[in-house]
Amino acid sequence: MSNWRKSSYSANSSDCVEVGRGVGIRDSKAPATHLPVSGEAWSAFLRHVTRITQR
């Protein structure tokens, strides 16, 4: 079991992405399934997103 967190960009909408530490990501409309993501891959993703949004 993981603590899933809703994206801060989702506001109060039910259409959102959730992140589970050490587990992966999932769509809040389909919580039974998730996409496993390693810690290294998640860190690389965040670095990339931060880099392209700071341009």
Short mmCIF file of all heavy atoms in Angstrom, two decimals:
data_model
loop_
_atom_site.label_atom_id
_atom_site.label_comp_id
_atom_site.label_asym_id
_atom_site.label_seq_id
_atom_site.Cartn_x
_atom_site.Cartn_y
_atom_site.Cartn_z
N MET A 1 0.85 -1.18 0.00
CA MET A 1 0.00 0.00 0.00
C MET A 1 0.89 1.23 0.00
O MET A 1 1.90 1.27 0.66
CB MET A 1 -0.90 -0.03 1.22
CG MET A 1 -1.79 1.19 1.38
SD MET A 1 -3.17 1.27 0.25
CE MET A 1 -4.39 0.37 1.15
N SER A 2 0.50 2.20 -0.74
CA SER A 2 1.25 3.44 -0.83
C SER A 2 0.34 4.62 -0.55
O SER A 2 -0.87 4.53 -0.74
CB SER A 2 1.84 3.59 -2.23
OG SER A 2 2.50 4.82 -2.35
N ASN A 3 0.92 5.69 -0.09
CA ASN A 3 0.17 6.93 0.04
C ASN A 3 0.22 7.64 -1.30
O ASN A 3 1.29 8.07 -1.73
CB ASN A 3 0.77 7.83 1.12
CG ASN A 3 0.60 7.24 2.49
OD1 ASN A 3 -0.40 6.60 2.76
ND2 ASN A 3 1.55 7.44 3.35
N TRP A 4 -0.91 7.74 -1.97
CA TRP A 4 -0.97 8.39 -3.26
C TRP A 4 -1.24 9.87 -3.05
O TRP A 4 -2.05 10.26 -2.24
CB TRP A 4 -2.07 7.77 -4.11
CG TRP A 4 -1.76 6.37 -4.51
CD1 TRP A 4 -2.11 5.23 -3.86
CD2 TRP A 4 -1.00 5.95 -5.63
NE1 TRP A 4 -1.63 4.14 -4.51
CE2 TRP A 4 -0.95 4.55 -5.61
CE3 TRP A 4 -0.37 6.63 -6.67
CZ2 TRP A 4 -0.28 3.82 -6.59
CZ3 TRP A 4 0.29 5.90 -7.64
CH2 TRP A 4 0.33 4.50 -7.60
N ARG A 5 -0.53 10.71 -3.81
CA ARG A 5 -0.71 12.17 -3.74
C ARG A 5 -1.23 12.66 -5.08
O ARG A 5 -0.74 12.25 -6.13
CB ARG A 5 0.62 12.87 -3.49
CG ARG A 5 1.16 12.72 -2.13
CD ARG A 5 2.39 13.55 -1.95
NE ARG A 5 2.98 13.90 -3.27
CZ ARG A 5 4.02 14.66 -3.45
NH1 ARG A 5 4.64 15.17 -2.43
NH2 ARG A 5 4.48 14.92 -4.65
N LYS A 6 -2.20 13.54 -5.01
CA LYS A 6 -2.76 14.14 -6.21
C LYS A 6 -1.86 15.28 -6.68
O LYS A 6 -1.31 16.01 -5.87
CB LYS A 6 -4.15 14.69 -5.88
CG LYS A 6 -4.93 15.13 -7.10
CD LYS A 6 -6.28 15.70 -6.72
CE LYS A 6 -7.20 14.60 -6.26
NZ LYS A 6 -8.59 15.04 -6.13
N SER A 7 -1.75 15.43 -7.98
CA SER A 7 -0.97 16.52 -8.54
C SER A 7 -1.52 17.86 -8.06
O SER A 7 -2.72 18.06 -8.00
CB SER A 7 -1.03 16.47 -10.07
OG SER A 7 -0.53 17.66 -10.63
N SER A 8 -0.63 18.78 -7.72
CA SER A 8 -1.06 20.11 -7.28
C SER A 8 -1.72 20.89 -8.41
O SER A 8 -2.46 21.84 -8.17
CB SER A 8 0.12 20.90 -6.72
OG SER A 8 1.11 21.07 -7.72
N TYR A 9 -1.50 20.49 -9.65
CA TYR A 9 -2.12 21.15 -10.79
C TYR A 9 -3.53 20.63 -11.05
O TYR A 9 -4.22 21.14 -11.91
CB TYR A 9 -1.27 20.97 -12.05
CG TYR A 9 -0.01 21.78 -12.00
CD1 TYR A 9 1.18 21.23 -11.58
CD2 TYR A 9 -0.03 23.13 -12.36
CE1 TYR A 9 2.34 21.98 -11.52
CE2 TYR A 9 1.13 23.90 -12.31
CZ TYR A 9 2.30 23.31 -11.89
OH TYR A 9 3.44 24.07 -11.83
N SER A 10 -3.96 19.61 -10.32
CA SER A 10 -5.28 19.03 -10.54
C SER A 10 -6.39 19.77 -9.81
O SER A 10 -7.55 19.50 -10.05
CB SER A 10 -5.28 17.57 -10.10
OG SER A 10 -4.38 16.84 -10.89
N ALA A 11 -6.03 20.65 -8.89
CA ALA A 11 -7.02 21.39 -8.08
C ALA A 11 -7.98 20.41 -7.42
O ALA A 11 -7.56 19.41 -6.87
CB ALA A 11 -7.72 22.43 -8.93
N ASN A 12 -9.26 20.66 -7.52
CA ASN A 12 -10.26 19.77 -6.91
C ASN A 12 -10.94 18.89 -7.93
O ASN A 12 -11.95 18.26 -7.65
CB ASN A 12 -11.30 20.61 -6.15
CG ASN A 12 -10.69 21.28 -4.95
OD1 ASN A 12 -9.81 20.73 -4.31
ND2 ASN A 12 -11.15 22.48 -4.65
N SER A 13 -10.41 18.86 -9.12
CA SER A 13 -10.98 18.05 -10.19
C SER A 13 -10.76 16.56 -9.93
O SER A 13 -9.82 16.16 -9.27
CB SER A 13 -10.32 18.44 -11.51
OG SER A 13 -10.75 17.59 -12.54
N SER A 14 -11.66 15.75 -10.46
CA SER A 14 -11.48 14.30 -10.33
C SER A 14 -10.60 13.75 -11.44
O SER A 14 -10.23 12.59 -11.42
CB SER A 14 -12.84 13.60 -10.35
OG SER A 14 -13.49 13.84 -11.59
N ASP A 15 -10.26 14.59 -12.42
CA ASP A 15 -9.39 14.18 -13.51
C ASP A 15 -7.96 14.56 -13.16
O ASP A 15 -7.55 15.70 -13.38
CB ASP A 15 -9.79 14.87 -14.82
CG ASP A 15 -11.20 14.54 -15.23
OD1 ASP A 15 -11.67 13.45 -14.89
OD2 ASP A 15 -11.82 15.37 -15.90
N CYS A 16 -7.22 13.63 -12.58
CA CYS A 16 -5.89 14.02 -12.14
C CYS A 16 -4.92 12.85 -12.20
O CYS A 16 -5.29 11.70 -12.36
CB CYS A 16 -5.94 14.58 -10.73
SG CYS A 16 -6.40 13.37 -9.49
N VAL A 17 -3.68 13.21 -12.05
CA VAL A 17 -2.60 12.24 -11.96
C VAL A 17 -2.21 12.16 -10.49
O VAL A 17 -2.16 13.16 -9.79
CB VAL A 17 -1.39 12.71 -12.80
CG1 VAL A 17 -0.19 11.82 -12.56
CG2 VAL A 17 -1.74 12.75 -14.26
N GLU A 18 -1.95 10.94 -10.02
CA GLU A 18 -1.52 10.74 -8.64
C GLU A 18 -0.16 10.05 -8.65
O GLU A 18 0.13 9.25 -9.54
CB GLU A 18 -2.52 9.88 -7.88
CG GLU A 18 -3.87 10.54 -7.74
CD GLU A 18 -4.89 9.65 -7.06
OE1 GLU A 18 -4.87 8.43 -7.26
OE2 GLU A 18 -5.71 10.19 -6.32
N VAL A 19 0.65 10.35 -7.66
CA VAL A 19 1.98 9.77 -7.54
C VAL A 19 2.05 9.00 -6.23
O VAL A 19 1.64 9.50 -5.19
CB VAL A 19 3.06 10.88 -7.53
CG1 VAL A 19 4.43 10.28 -7.36
CG2 VAL A 19 2.98 11.70 -8.78
N GLY A 20 2.56 7.76 -6.30
CA GLY A 20 2.76 6.95 -5.11
C GLY A 20 4.24 6.72 -4.89
O GLY A 20 4.90 6.14 -5.75
N ARG A 21 4.75 7.20 -3.78
CA ARG A 21 6.19 7.08 -3.51
C ARG A 21 6.61 5.61 -3.53
O ARG A 21 6.05 4.78 -2.84
CB ARG A 21 6.51 7.70 -2.16
CG ARG A 21 7.97 7.52 -1.79
CD ARG A 21 8.32 8.24 -0.53
NE ARG A 21 9.41 9.13 -0.87
CZ ARG A 21 9.60 10.31 -0.40
NH1 ARG A 21 8.79 10.80 0.48
NH2 ARG A 21 10.62 11.03 -0.78
N GLY A 22 7.60 5.32 -4.35
CA GLY A 22 8.11 3.97 -4.46
C GLY A 22 7.22 3.03 -5.25
O GLY A 22 7.49 1.84 -5.33
N VAL A 23 6.15 3.57 -5.84
CA VAL A 23 5.21 2.72 -6.57
C VAL A 23 5.10 3.13 -8.03
O VAL A 23 5.35 2.34 -8.92
CB VAL A 23 3.81 2.75 -5.92
CG1 VAL A 23 2.84 1.88 -6.70
CG2 VAL A 23 3.87 2.31 -4.48
N GLY A 24 4.71 4.37 -8.27
CA GLY A 24 4.54 4.82 -9.64
C GLY A 24 3.53 5.93 -9.76
O GLY A 24 3.32 6.70 -8.82
N ILE A 25 2.90 5.98 -10.92
CA ILE A 25 1.89 7.00 -11.17
C ILE A 25 0.61 6.32 -11.63
O ILE A 25 0.64 5.20 -12.14
CB ILE A 25 2.36 8.02 -12.23
CG1 ILE A 25 2.74 7.33 -13.54
CG2 ILE A 25 3.52 8.84 -11.71
CD1 ILE A 25 3.13 8.27 -14.65
N ARG A 26 -0.51 6.99 -11.40
CA ARG A 26 -1.79 6.43 -11.83
C ARG A 26 -2.77 7.56 -12.14
O ARG A 26 -2.58 8.71 -11.74
CB ARG A 26 -2.39 5.52 -10.76
CG ARG A 26 -2.87 6.25 -9.53
CD ARG A 26 -3.42 5.29 -8.50
NE ARG A 26 -3.94 6.01 -7.33
CZ ARG A 26 -4.44 5.42 -6.27
NH1 ARG A 26 -4.48 4.11 -6.21
NH2 ARG A 26 -4.90 6.14 -5.27
N ASP A 27 -3.82 7.20 -12.85
CA ASP A 27 -4.91 8.10 -13.16
C ASP A 27 -5.95 7.93 -12.05
O ASP A 27 -6.32 6.81 -11.72
CB ASP A 27 -5.51 7.71 -14.50
CG ASP A 27 -6.62 8.62 -14.98
OD1 ASP A 27 -7.23 9.32 -14.14
OD2 ASP A 27 -6.91 8.61 -16.18
N SER A 28 -6.42 9.03 -11.49
CA SER A 28 -7.37 8.94 -10.38
C SER A 28 -8.68 8.27 -10.79
O SER A 28 -9.40 7.75 -9.95
CB SER A 28 -7.67 10.32 -9.80
OG SER A 28 -8.28 11.14 -10.76
N LYS A 29 -8.98 8.26 -12.10
CA LYS A 29 -10.21 7.61 -12.56
C LYS A 29 -10.05 6.10 -12.67
O LYS A 29 -11.03 5.39 -12.82
CB LYS A 29 -10.63 8.18 -13.91
CG LYS A 29 -11.05 9.65 -13.82
CD LYS A 29 -11.41 10.17 -15.20
CE LYS A 29 -10.12 10.29 -15.98
NZ LYS A 29 -10.22 10.97 -17.25
N ALA A 30 -8.81 5.60 -12.60
CA ALA A 30 -8.54 4.16 -12.69
C ALA A 30 -7.53 3.78 -11.61
O ALA A 30 -6.41 3.36 -11.91
CB ALA A 30 -8.02 3.81 -14.08
N PRO A 31 -7.88 3.95 -10.33
CA PRO A 31 -6.90 3.75 -9.26
C PRO A 31 -6.42 2.31 -9.06
O PRO A 31 -5.42 2.10 -8.40
CB PRO A 31 -7.64 4.25 -8.02
CG PRO A 31 -9.07 4.11 -8.34
CD PRO A 31 -9.18 4.34 -9.82
N ALA A 32 -7.10 1.35 -9.64
CA ALA A 32 -6.68 -0.05 -9.46
C ALA A 32 -5.41 -0.37 -10.24
O ALA A 32 -4.73 -1.34 -9.95
CB ALA A 32 -7.81 -0.99 -9.87
N THR A 33 -5.11 0.42 -11.26
CA THR A 33 -3.91 0.17 -12.06
C THR A 33 -2.96 1.35 -11.93
O THR A 33 -3.37 2.47 -11.66
CB THR A 33 -4.27 -0.02 -13.55
OG1 THR A 33 -4.92 1.15 -14.02
CG2 THR A 33 -5.18 -1.21 -13.73
N HIS A 34 -1.69 1.06 -12.11
CA HIS A 34 -0.70 2.13 -12.06
C HIS A 34 0.48 1.77 -12.97
O HIS A 34 0.64 0.63 -13.38
CB HIS A 34 -0.22 2.37 -10.63
CG HIS A 34 0.62 1.28 -10.07
ND1 HIS A 34 0.07 0.15 -9.51
CD2 HIS A 34 1.95 1.12 -10.00
CE1 HIS A 34 1.04 -0.66 -9.11
NE2 HIS A 34 2.20 -0.08 -9.40
N LEU A 35 1.27 2.77 -13.27
CA LEU A 35 2.47 2.60 -14.08
C LEU A 35 3.66 2.62 -13.14
O LEU A 35 3.94 3.65 -12.52
CB LEU A 35 2.58 3.74 -15.10
CG LEU A 35 3.80 3.76 -15.99
CD1 LEU A 35 3.80 2.54 -16.91
CD2 LEU A 35 3.82 5.04 -16.82
N PRO A 36 4.34 1.48 -12.98
CA PRO A 36 5.50 1.47 -12.07
C PRO A 36 6.62 2.36 -12.60
O PRO A 36 6.91 2.36 -13.79
CB PRO A 36 5.95 0.00 -12.08
CG PRO A 36 4.88 -0.77 -12.73
CD PRO A 36 4.09 0.18 -13.57
N VAL A 37 7.22 3.13 -11.72
CA VAL A 37 8.32 4.02 -12.08
C VAL A 37 9.38 3.92 -10.99
O VAL A 37 9.07 4.08 -9.81
CB VAL A 37 7.83 5.49 -12.20
CG1 VAL A 37 8.98 6.41 -12.54
CG2 VAL A 37 6.73 5.60 -13.23
N SER A 38 10.61 3.68 -11.40
CA SER A 38 11.70 3.59 -10.42
C SER A 38 12.03 4.98 -9.88
O SER A 38 11.71 6.00 -10.51
CB SER A 38 12.95 2.98 -11.05
OG SER A 38 13.52 3.90 -11.97
N GLY A 39 12.68 5.02 -8.75
CA GLY A 39 13.10 6.29 -8.17
C GLY A 39 14.03 7.06 -9.10
O GLY A 39 13.93 8.27 -9.24
N GLU A 40 14.93 6.34 -9.76
CA GLU A 40 15.86 6.99 -10.68
C GLU A 40 15.13 7.58 -11.88
O GLU A 40 15.43 8.70 -12.31
CB GLU A 40 16.93 5.99 -11.17
CG GLU A 40 17.85 5.50 -10.09
CD GLU A 40 17.29 4.29 -9.34
OE1 GLU A 40 16.32 3.67 -9.82
OE2 GLU A 40 17.81 4.00 -8.26
N ALA A 41 14.17 6.84 -12.42
CA ALA A 41 13.41 7.34 -13.57
C ALA A 41 12.56 8.55 -13.18
O ALA A 41 12.46 9.51 -13.94
CB ALA A 41 12.52 6.24 -14.14
N TRP A 42 11.97 8.52 -12.00
CA TRP A 42 11.15 9.65 -11.54
C TRP A 42 12.02 10.89 -11.35
O TRP A 42 11.64 11.98 -11.76
CB TRP A 42 10.43 9.28 -10.25
CG TRP A 42 9.49 10.34 -9.80
CD1 TRP A 42 9.62 11.15 -8.71
CD2 TRP A 42 8.27 10.75 -10.43
NE1 TRP A 42 8.56 12.02 -8.63
CE2 TRP A 42 7.72 11.79 -9.67
CE3 TRP A 42 7.59 10.33 -11.57
CZ2 TRP A 42 6.52 12.42 -10.01
CZ3 TRP A 42 6.40 10.95 -11.91
CH2 TRP A 42 5.88 11.98 -11.13
N SER A 43 13.19 10.73 -10.76
CA SER A 43 14.11 11.85 -10.57
C SER A 43 14.53 12.44 -11.91
O SER A 43 14.59 13.66 -12.07
CB SER A 43 15.33 11.43 -9.78
OG SER A 43 14.97 11.10 -8.47
N ALA A 44 14.84 11.59 -12.87
CA ALA A 44 15.23 12.05 -14.21
C ALA A 44 14.08 12.80 -14.87
O ALA A 44 14.29 13.85 -15.50
CB ALA A 44 15.66 10.87 -15.08
N PHE A 45 12.88 12.30 -14.72
CA PHE A 45 11.70 12.97 -15.27
C PHE A 45 11.53 14.37 -14.67
O PHE A 45 11.33 15.35 -15.39
CB PHE A 45 10.45 12.12 -15.02
CG PHE A 45 9.16 12.82 -15.33
CD1 PHE A 45 8.76 13.01 -16.64
CD2 PHE A 45 8.35 13.30 -14.31
CE1 PHE A 45 7.57 13.67 -16.93
CE2 PHE A 45 7.17 13.95 -14.59
CZ PHE A 45 6.77 14.13 -15.91
N LEU A 46 11.64 14.46 -13.35
CA LEU A 46 11.49 15.76 -12.68
C LEU A 46 12.59 16.74 -13.10
O LEU A 46 12.32 17.92 -13.32
CB LEU A 46 11.49 15.59 -11.17
CG LEU A 46 10.27 14.86 -10.59
CD1 LEU A 46 10.43 14.69 -9.09
CD2 LEU A 46 8.98 15.57 -10.94
N ARG A 47 13.83 16.26 -13.25
CA ARG A 47 14.91 17.13 -13.71
C ARG A 47 14.61 17.66 -15.11
O ARG A 47 14.79 18.84 -15.40
CB ARG A 47 16.25 16.39 -13.71
CG ARG A 47 16.89 16.28 -12.35
CD ARG A 47 18.32 15.80 -12.44
NE ARG A 47 18.47 14.52 -13.14
CZ ARG A 47 18.35 13.32 -12.57
NH1 ARG A 47 18.09 13.22 -11.27
NH2 ARG A 47 18.51 12.24 -13.28
N HIS A 48 14.13 16.78 -15.97
CA HIS A 48 13.83 17.17 -17.35
C HIS A 48 12.69 18.19 -17.39
O HIS A 48 12.79 19.21 -18.07
CB HIS A 48 13.45 15.94 -18.18
CG HIS A 48 13.09 16.26 -19.59
ND1 HIS A 48 14.02 16.65 -20.52
CD2 HIS A 48 11.89 16.28 -20.21
CE1 HIS A 48 13.41 16.88 -21.68
NE2 HIS A 48 12.12 16.66 -21.49
N VAL A 49 11.62 17.93 -16.68
CA VAL A 49 10.48 18.85 -16.66
C VAL A 49 10.91 20.21 -16.09
O VAL A 49 10.54 21.26 -16.63
CB VAL A 49 9.31 18.27 -15.84
CG1 VAL A 49 8.23 19.31 -15.59
CG2 VAL A 49 8.73 17.07 -16.56
N THR A 50 11.70 20.20 -15.04
CA THR A 50 12.17 21.46 -14.45
C THR A 50 13.02 22.23 -15.45
O THR A 50 12.88 23.44 -15.60
CB THR A 50 12.98 21.17 -13.17
OG1 THR A 50 12.13 20.48 -12.25
CG2 THR A 50 13.48 22.45 -12.53
N ARG A 51 13.88 21.52 -16.15
CA ARG A 51 14.77 22.16 -17.12
C ARG A 51 13.98 22.79 -18.27
O ARG A 51 14.24 23.92 -18.66
CB ARG A 51 15.78 21.14 -17.64
CG ARG A 51 16.92 21.71 -18.41
CD ARG A 51 18.03 20.71 -18.69
NE ARG A 51 17.58 19.45 -19.24
CZ ARG A 51 17.67 18.27 -18.60
NH1 ARG A 51 18.21 18.17 -17.40
NH2 ARG A 51 17.23 17.16 -19.16
N ILE A 52 12.99 22.08 -18.82
CA ILE A 52 12.26 22.62 -19.97
C ILE A 52 11.27 23.71 -19.58
O ILE A 52 10.94 24.56 -20.40
CB ILE A 52 11.55 21.52 -20.80
CG1 ILE A 52 10.48 20.82 -19.99
CG2 ILE A 52 12.55 20.55 -21.35
CD1 ILE A 52 9.62 19.87 -20.80
N THR A 53 10.81 23.72 -18.33
CA THR A 53 9.87 24.77 -17.92
C THR A 53 10.59 26.05 -17.50
O THR A 53 9.95 27.09 -17.37
CB THR A 53 8.96 24.30 -16.75
OG1 THR A 53 9.77 23.88 -15.65
CG2 THR A 53 8.06 23.17 -17.21
N GLN A 54 11.89 25.98 -17.30
CA GLN A 54 12.65 27.17 -16.91
C GLN A 54 13.21 27.91 -18.12
O GLN A 54 13.94 28.87 -17.95
CB GLN A 54 13.77 26.79 -15.94
CG GLN A 54 13.25 26.33 -14.62
CD GLN A 54 14.37 25.91 -13.69
OE1 GLN A 54 15.51 25.76 -14.07
NE2 GLN A 54 14.02 25.71 -12.43
N ARG A 55 12.90 27.49 -19.29
CA ARG A 55 13.41 28.14 -20.51
C ARG A 55 12.66 29.40 -20.78
O ARG A 55 11.60 29.69 -20.49
CB ARG A 55 13.30 27.22 -21.71
CG ARG A 55 14.25 26.06 -21.60
CD ARG A 55 14.15 25.22 -22.83
NE ARG A 55 15.03 24.08 -22.65
CZ ARG A 55 15.08 23.09 -23.48
NH1 ARG A 55 14.31 23.06 -24.54
NH2 ARG A 55 15.90 22.10 -23.28
#
